[in-house]
Amino acid sequence: MKALLTTVMALCLLICSGCAGSKGGFADFLNAGPWWQAAQSEDISQRAREWESRGEFNIALQYWQLVSRIAADPTEAEKEIERLRKRIDEAVRGHYQKGLQALRNKQATGARDQFLAALRLDPDFQPALKQIRLRYATFPLAVYPASSDDTPVSVARKVFDDEKKAFLVAWFNQLSVDEKVKDGELLLLPKLEKTPEKTVPGIHPPDILTKARERMVGNDLEGALVLAMQADTSDPDVKDLINAIQLRRVGEQIASGHLDAAELTLSAVPDEFEGKSSTLVGLHTALEKRKFDADLADARDAFKKGRFTQSLKRSERLLEMAPEDPEVRRLVVESRYRAAQDLVDKGRYLEAREMLSTADAAHDPSTALKEAVRIRLVKLSQMHYRNGVKHFINEQLDAAIGEWEKALDCNPDLTKAREDITIARRLLKKIQTMP
Amino acid sequence: MSNHPIDHAARRIIEGLILVIGMLLIFQTSWGQEAVAADTGKTPMIVRVRPGDTPSTLARRYLNDVREAWMIKAYNNDEALTPNGAILIPRAPFRLGGLTPNGFQNVPVLVYLDPGAESSIAESSFAATFRQHMTWLKNNGFTAITPSQLIRFFNYSGQLPEKSILITADMQSRWFYDYMAPVMKELGFTAAVFVATGHVGDNDAMTWDHLKRLYRDGFFIGCRGENGRSLARRKPGQSFETNFKWIEAELEKAKVSIEAHLGEPCLLLAYPQGGINGLIAAVAAKMGFSAAFTLSSGENPFYADRYLIHRIIVDNRTGPEQFSDGLVTRIEADLK
């Protein structure tokens, strides 16, 4: 029997651990678990067909992919996925070819629409994206491959037909005007209005990649990125390089405290790229630290401006997050002391006592103030007690009870006040029940 | 309990059965919902709608961002949520570039200009018109996106709500701080404001304190050069090189100034007075600006040039009809 019980308990533990971490835990597992999901597959399949009938093949495909995962029998879904993939593939190729044909016929808008149609069906279809970027989106910088003996002056003469623009070549490439450029070096040049469109003849993608990598090694990440973007971005090597450059940029941005920029740069890197998750953790840590520092600065600011209650609330919240932080702890102690002092100055002794109830015993001024407040409250309680007695003698029982209650608030140890309240209430009850 | 061999065997069988059922349960758990959750691809997640759920609560629970509720609605073809019904949660953008069979997305970018000292426009009139514009946007389902969202859209890595708009202001005066920002905050909108850094703190102009507060309130601060003078206008007799050095200094000083005061890189540029040419755009790109805005109207599809973003100029003479006519969020095209 013991063995049976042990087995059952072990199973319960295993089931619970199996469900741990799911969004809704065990309840979700029972309500929306595999059986419920499998029961939805017919409904999801129907929705997938509706998406397809509207021409949204890509979304329909994603719906079918879900069905293939949740259905008890995924055979139909798998067939549909295969059929849809084939259909998408054929349509994408067709649109792309029609786009190229339209380009040959100098129908710019027609070509654009065909490339966009291909992209709509397959958002990852790089040839169409490349055509769109190349022909319909301009970028203000062009790439020029330098030859042997080139200098900024010779490049300016060749590209801008004006040697006086050598300073531009130098500025855009961090060179001096008379510096000799290495053979094969890729130079970034502005696209001036009179610059011929074709300034990048004969660049081979591997050259661009090599140069981009060299710039990356030389820590010119912006230059490396511009060069890498000129290469074939459908090439996995180029993609990897661009992502690696972006991750380096994020690292630098985090290190220099430019966290908003880091967040933006990191968003361009795909989630599955190696190193993104660890960078993301680093970014989140830095963002949390920035928030903590900003909150601490706010709390300090409130303290400096004499808003001690506000400063106390803020610093106490921070202390919950960082209980060991001596700076925060000091701010909490000082804020509490100064806020309590303010209350004392305004004669609000009860609130001051409440505030000082959690004061740090090692902080001498707080301890002294706490004692001063206690003494003051004892005196106040005696005053209220005497007032109560006066009212009692004058048969004003309600007023007497009110005064004694105040006395008790000031000094809960004043037992005679509590006893007198009981007596007065009893008397009041008797009076009220008298015929 | 008896020690009879049959009892013993029965107990063993029961134990074995419980073990098998338990293992199956665990396997099902990991095979079901959590297996889908672990998938990093584009396969959506299926969830059961709880009573009281809305797209916003689902977005908060599953996408960790309440502002993504529109994605859940669009991915489920705007179907109403029914308790205990199935809803699909997308894991990745499913319409990059806003491409649909009938066209693609255009992002209108509004720009409010500083009325300036010469304007006789009363402040109350300006404030009333601005509120009218913003209320119209809110009532007509527009979402005010951030410049970062726009850049992701241009990078073809982010999807935007169908009716997205970017609000910008090339303004120096406190009107932005006093009238425009509070209205936008009230309606849940954000905006980018571009300042000429050399005039921050001038008479009736916003100070760095104002800009810092705006930045902390979720507004974006960009630059319009140091002096706000058009960079495309060369002084008579000035050499090309001297002019270039002036352009560089105008942008560099403005960028450095904003970065020093806000502690973040200045990534946004509005060409002062809309003055633009190829050289200025190239300098902006080389100096590390992520996007630059013109004052010319035009379309902003996902493949637009980030250094030539078109904007629609609006002011308090822009009536409701004129205002709404300019806000084209879709470009019709046959993409079937």
Side-chain angles (χ1 to χ4, degrees):
Chain A
M1 197 60 189
K2 257 187 185 173
L4 190 66
L5 274 173
T6 315
T7 313
V8 171
M9 280 178 73
L11 276 171
C12 288
L13 271 172
L14 276 168
I15 293 165
C16 290
S17 63
C19 296
S22 67
K23 292 273 180 190
F26 193 60
D28 254 13
F29 168 65
L30 289 178
N31 291 325
W35 298 286
W36 176 82
Q37 291 181 5
Q40 308 306 312
S41 52
E42 188 48 48
D43 175 38
I44 308 295
S45 305
Q46 185 53 38
R47 293 197 222 173
R49 289 187 194 99
E50 283 167 20
W51 279 116
E52 189 177 347
S53 70
R54 282 193 287 270
E56 299 270 19
F57 300 162
N58 191 30
I59 300 177
L61 180 66
Q62 290 173 14
Y63 270 57
W64 280 118
Q65 281 167 337
L66 176 68
V67 175
S68 81
R69 283 179 178 277
I70 62 172
D73 178 8
T75 320
E76 190 201 349
E78 280 162 6
K79 275 185 194 162
E80 287 294 325
I81 289 168
E82 202 182 323
R83 181 186 62 76
L84 254 179
R85 279 201 174 127
K86 207 174 160 191
R87 190 173 178 184
I88 289 172
D89 196 41
E90 280 170 9
V92 167
R93 282 163 197 265
H95 283 302
Y96 186 66
Q97 289 306 325
K98 280 183 194 167
L100 293 178
Q101 185 59 47
L103 275 183
R104 284 193 284 273
N105 296 339
K106 297 188 176 163
Q107 296 164 335
T109 308
R112 180 202 67 182
D113 290 353
Q114 293 296 340
F115 295 137
L116 290 179
L119 270 184
R120 182 181 75 76
L121 293 169
D122 181 0
D124 298 324
F125 187 62
Q126 293 297 322
L129 185 60
K130 204 177 164 193
Q131 288 290 349
I132 288 287
R133 292 256 186 252
L134 190 72
R135 298 181 191 281
Y136 304 96
T138 54
F139 188 74
L141 291 170
V143 180
Y144 175 85
S147 50
S148 58
D149 297 331
D150 255 341
T151 62
V153 175
S154 66
V155 174
R157 188 173 53 240
K158 285 187 227 170
V159 178
F160 303 127
D161 199 21
D162 183 358
E163 285 186 0
K164 285 182 189 162
K165 290 195 171 79
F167 74 91
L168 280 183
V169 181
W171 188 84
F172 277 95
N173 296 282
Q174 290 146 328
L175 301 167
S176 57
V177 177
D178 50 2
E179 195 172 333
K180 209 173 160 188
V181 185
K182 277 187 260 168
D183 186 21
E185 181 75 34
L186 296 180
L187 300 176
L188 295 175
L189 299 178
K191 287 182 184 167
L192 301 183
E193 274 64 21
K194 287 176 187 169
T195 309
E197 267 304 304
K198 277 274 177 191
T199 54
V200 284
I203 296 183
H204 303 297
D207 294 345
I208 298 188
L209 276 194
T210 310
K211 297 300 169 191
R213 284 198 184 98
E214 280 172 15
R215 289 215 183 198
M216 188 179 164
V217 171
N219 222 23
D220 176 12
L221 299 180
E222 300 296 331
L225 192 61
V226 170
L227 283 178
M229 298 290 271
Q230 306 290 321
D232 180 4
T233 50
S234 61
D235 183 334
D237 282 351
V238 178
K239 277 187 193 169
D240 284 351
L241 180 62
I242 290 171
N243 290 331
I245 296 169
Q246 296 285 36
L247 278 191
R248 279 273 300 274
R249 290 177 75 209
V250 173
E252 287 194 351
Q253 285 161 339
I254 293 175
S256 59
H258 298 145
L259 304 183
D260 291 345
E263 218 170 357
L264 178 62
T265 311
L266 195 59
S267 70
V269 180
D271 289 344
E272 60 274 17
F273 188 72
E274 196 185 343
K276 175 163 179 178
S277 51
S278 58
T279 311
L280 197 60
V281 171
L283 177 61
H284 282 159
T285 310
L287 282 167
E288 275 168 20
K289 189 180 177 310
R290 181 174 73 173
K291 190 173 180 316
F292 184 87
D293 290 346
D295 289 348
L296 183 57
D298 279 351
R300 276 201 204 106
D301 188 46
F303 186 87
K304 274 184 201 156
K305 287 176 179 162
R307 297 198 290 261
F308 303 117
T309 311
Q310 200 179 5
S311 153
L312 177 63
K313 274 184 190 164
R314 288 179 180 176
S315 52
E316 275 182 332
R317 272 202 300 270
L318 292 172
L319 195 64
E320 281 173 18
M321 287 185 265
E324 303 301 322
D325 192 314
E327 175 69 3
V328 179
R329 184 168 288 280
R330 192 190 61 76
L331 192 60
V332 167
V333 169
E334 285 294 331
S335 301
R336 180 176 288 120
Y337 169 68
R338 298 291 288 271
Q341 183 75 62
D342 275 359
L343 290 170
V344 169
D345 291 346
K346 288 171 190 162
R348 291 155 64 182
Y349 300 106
L350 290 175
E351 290 164 74
R353 181 178 65 191
E354 174 69 25
M355 185 163 281
L356 288 165
S357 64
T358 49
D360 187 347
H363 188 246
D364 292 341
S366 294
T367 311
L369 185 63
K370 200 173 172 179
E371 182 58 16
V373 168
R374 192 191 67 77
I375 292 166
R376 179 69 192 146
L377 282 171
V378 167
K379 281 184 183 168
L380 272 175
S381 74
Q382 286 163 353
M383 185 192 82
H384 285 302
Y385 181 74
R386 281 195 298 273
N387 288 344
V389 172
K390 278 180 203 163
H391 289 305
F392 189 80
I393 292 166
N394 293 330
E395 296 179 2
Q396 295 163 328
L397 297 182
D398 282 329
I401 290 170
E403 285 293 333
W404 287 332
E405 278 174 344
K406 281 181 192 168
L408 265 183
D409 284 343
C410 294
N411 181 11
D413 297 334
L414 194 65
T415 46
K416 56 185 177 179
R418 189 167 288 118
E419 289 161 9
D420 289 350
I421 289 171
T422 314
I423 293 165
R425 284 203 176 125
R426 216 176 285 150
L427 273 173
L428 260 180
K429 207 173 175 185
K430 271 188 186 169
I431 292 166
Q432 283 162 357
T433 52
M434 274 173 73
Chain B
M1 197 116 186
S2 136
N3 278 331
H4 195 277
I6 295 173
D7 284 346
H8 185 74
R11 209 162 55 231
R12 285 279 174 211
I13 289 165
I14 292 167
E15 280 176 19
L17 274 172
I18 292 172
L19 193 68
V20 168
I21 292 166
M23 294 311 279
L24 272 174
L25 273 170
I26 295 158
F27 170 72
Q28 292 271 33
T29 312
S30 58
W31 168 77
Q33 194 166 354
E34 288 310 298
V36 179
D39 178 18
T40 53
K42 292 177 182 173
T43 309
M45 184 176 8
I46 179 170
V47 299
R48 186 172 189 165
V49 178
R50 298 174 192 171
D53 266 345
T54 62
S56 301
T57 59
L58 291 169
R60 190 185 297 116
R61 196 180 309 141
Y62 296 104
L63 302 176
N64 298 322
D65 191 348
V66 71
R67 290 168 303 177
E68 304 276 281
W70 64 271
M71 274 187 87
I72 295 176
K73 281 169 77 177
Y75 200 66
N76 290 276
N77 199 26
D78 289 328
E79 276 176 31
L81 299 184
T82 48
N84 299 318
I87 199 95
L88 270 59
I89 311 285
R91 290 166 187 283
F94 52 92
R95 268 194 201 122
L96 283 174
L99 296 163
T100 66
N102 301 319
F104 50 97
Q105 187 164 14
N106 177 54
V107 182
V109 181
L110 300 181
V111 54
Y112 287 85
L113 300 180
D114 224 328
E118 288 172 20
S119 170
S120 59
I121 301 159
E123 290 185 8
S124 58
S125 153
F126 178 83
T129 311
F130 182 73
R131 178 175 280 280
Q132 201 179 26
H133 290 168
M134 293 300 111
T135 310
W136 187 91
L137 289 176
K138 188 79 183 172
N139 293 342
N140 285 276
F142 277 83
T143 303
I145 59 166
T146 64
S148 313
Q149 283 178 291
L150 184 69
I151 292 166
R152 279 196 282 273
F153 174 71
F154 285 152
N155 283 346
Y156 196 59
S157 60
Q159 185 177 341
L160 296 177
E162 206 177 313
K163 283 181 166 183
S164 289
I165 193 164
L166 179 69
I167 304 165
T168 69
D170 289 7
M171 290 185 86
Q172 208 71 35
S173 77
R174 281 190 52 153
W175 288 24
F176 185 87
Y177 185 83
D178 290 339
Y179 300 119
M180 296 169 74
V183 172
M184 286 188 273
K185 271 164 75 177
E186 182 191 320
L187 297 172
F189 286 170
T190 185
V193 59
F194 296 94
V195 292
T197 52
H199 295 295
V200 173
D202 279 3
N203 222 3
D204 293 331
M206 285 186 283
T207 62
W208 285 112
D209 257 358
H210 291 134
L211 294 173
K212 276 184 206 166
R213 263 177 255 163
L214 286 171
Y215 179 66
R216 284 177 65 172
D217 284 349
F219 291 92
F220 297 82
I221 316 296
C223 74
R224 274 189 296 129
E226 199 201 14
N227 285 300
R229 287 205 298 269
S230 170
L231 302 176
R233 243 176 268 153
R234 204 197 308 183
K235 286 180 189 165
Q238 193 179 43
S239 74
F240 183 80
E241 187 169 357
T242 313
N243 179 247
F244 173 79
K245 283 185 177 154
W246 175 73
I247 292 170
E248 185 206 350
E250 272 287 305
L251 294 182
E252 181 68 26
K253 281 182 197 165
K255 196 169 192 295
V256 167
S257 185
I258 285 184
E259 288 171 358
H261 283 95
L262 301 183
E264 278 291 327
C266 174
L267 301 173
L268 306 172
L269 168 72
Y271 297 112
Q273 298 178 4
I276 170 73
N277 59 37
L279 179 62
I280 299 166
V283 173
K286 184 69 175 68
M287 284 176 78
F289 286 103
S290 294
F293 297 79
T294 68
L295 280 179
S296 61
S297 58
E299 295 165 349
N300 293 314
F302 77 91
Y303 55 81
D305 185 347
R306 281 189 288 140
Y307 296 95
L308 282 174
I309 301 173
H310 296 110
R311 292 191 291 177
I312 305 162
I313 300 173
V314 275
D315 57 29
N316 73 333
R317 284 158 297 192
T318 312
E321 273 184 31
Q322 207 184 345
F323 182 73
S324 57
D325 284 352
L327 303 180
V328 179
T329 54
R330 290 211 62 74
I331 297 169
E332 300 293 324
D334 182 9
L335 307 184
K336 289 184 193 81

